Amino acid sequence: EPEVTQTPSHQVTQMGQEVILRCVPISNHLYFYWYRQILGQKVEFLVSFYNNEISEKSEIFDDQFSVERPDGSNFTLKIRSTKLEDSAMYFCASSLGGNTIYFGEGSWLTVV
Amino acid sequence: EDKVVQSPLSLVVHEGDTVTLNCSYEVTNFRSLLWYKQEKKAPTFLFMLTSSGIEKKSGRLSSILDKKELFSILNITATQTGDSAVYLCAVELQGAQKLVFGQGTRLTINP
């Protein structure tokens, strides 16, 4: 069964460093998303991406965050200058649109 | 503000019991309601509900949506230890490419 894959599964980074989280969405999907889940809290929407541009973003997704689809398969989330409060599980997801949203296994980011 | 509330937050039952998990919502523009199971990492899809009163079923799991009263339930019959997980309810908004999640129900099935 096709799945969303994410790398790395776990990353530890120093505060202020840049981090790039990578995702390979399901191949025929058109909509791509990033969500995050701080330990013990709700899953929160960050950003959605369609037709090579951001279609929606939350208040969390400030200027420190950016997304890119550099080629036909990868979808990346960059955090420019990490803060302690960015520590969370980051989930990539994809969908055909109007259909089920499928999630990857997540990338656990620890900022120290 | 769009809101999804799940109850109970935590539930411990014995293997073989039947459980009912609740999800209520207040959103500006409802499109669909989804249930996910989160065991260790990725939420895995269970059901997508768009119409009121139509039960969706998959094995021992079933779910139904009430768009008038703005809630959904997820039923699990003859529970097994493998059903232990956090069950997430999420609402998809019309015209917005995003899901609003509830806080989840942590279900523990004891042998």
Side-chain angles (χ1 to χ4, degrees):
Chain A
E1 189 180 310
E3 56 181 24
V4 177
T5 56
Q6 291 186 239
T7 54
S9 56
H10 189 194
Q11 182 159 352
V12 181
T13 190
Q14 296 253 329
M15 196 167 55
Q17 294 294 305
E18 176 183 282
V19 158
I20 296 176
L21 305 178
R22 292 183 166 79
C23 169
V24 179
I26 294 172
S27 62
N28 62 336
H29 283 187
L30 302 173
Y31 294 82
F32 314 114
Y33 313 85
W34 284 100
Y35 286 79
R36 79 170 186 191
Q37 187 175 29
I38 295 170
L39 190 63
Q41 296 188 24
K42 289 185 186 187
V43 176
E44 302 173 288
F45 169 78
L46 291 178
V47 66
S48 60
F49 192 86
Y50 170 72
N51 203 25
N52 282 320
E53 59 183 26
I54 290 173
S55 48
E56 181 132 8
K57 60 183 181 178
S58 70
E59 290 172 357
I60 303 166
F61 194 88
D62 61 21
D63 292 342
Q64 293 298 315
F65 291 88
S66 63
V67 289
E68 205 175 43
R69 189 154 161 83
D71 53 43
S73 59
N74 290 288
F75 179 52
T76 61
L77 174 70
K78 184 193 290 186
I79 309 174
R80 240 177 293 283
S81 176
T82 48
K83 305 188 278 276
L84 293 176
E85 53 266 37
D86 294 328
S87 294
M89 178 73 91
Y90 287 81
F91 291 108
C92 176
S94 70
S95 75
L96 272 171
N99 287 43
T100 309
I101 297 175
Y102 292 91
F103 287 81
E105 290 281 310
S107 292
W108 183 249
L109 176 66
T110 303
V111 183
V112 296
Chain B
E1 187 190 332
D2 298 315
K3 197 162 62 171
V4 177
V5 177
Q6 292 185 244
S7 65
L9 293 181
S10 180
L11 184 58
V12 181
V13 299
H14 288 294
E15 205 167 18
D17 288 352
T18 292
V19 297
T20 299
L21 310 183
N22 303 292
C23 175
S24 64
Y25 60 92
E26 282 179 41
V27 301
T28 47
N29 230 342
F30 177 90
R31 181 175 187 169
S32 65
L33 186 144
L34 296 92
W35 284 97
Y36 288 88
K37 179 182 182 182
Q38 186 178 29
E39 290 179 86
K40 288 177 185 168
K41 290 186 179 179
T44 53
F45 171 76
L46 294 174
F47 296 111
M48 181 178 178
L49 303 156
T50 53
S51 302
S52 256
I54 297 172
E55 187 185 51
K56 290 226 173 169
K57 209 167 162 58
S58 175
R60 296 176 293 102
L61 278 67
S62 63
S63 184
I64 197 158
L65 173 67
D66 185 329
K67 287 166 79 171
K68 187 178 172 191
E69 300 298 329
L70 308 182
F71 78 91
S72 173
I73 58 171
L74 175 69
N75 275 321
I76 310 175
T77 58
T79 51
Q80 301 169 359
T81 53
D83 295 327
S84 295
V86 175
Y87 288 83
L88 300 173
C89 172
V91 171
E92 186 183 12
L93 305 182
Q94 191 78 256
Q97 294 298 328
K98 70 176 190 181
L99 297 176
V100 178
F101 279 86
Q103 65 274 60
T105 293
R106 180 172 294 280
L107 176 65
T108 303
I109 312 295
N110 287 327

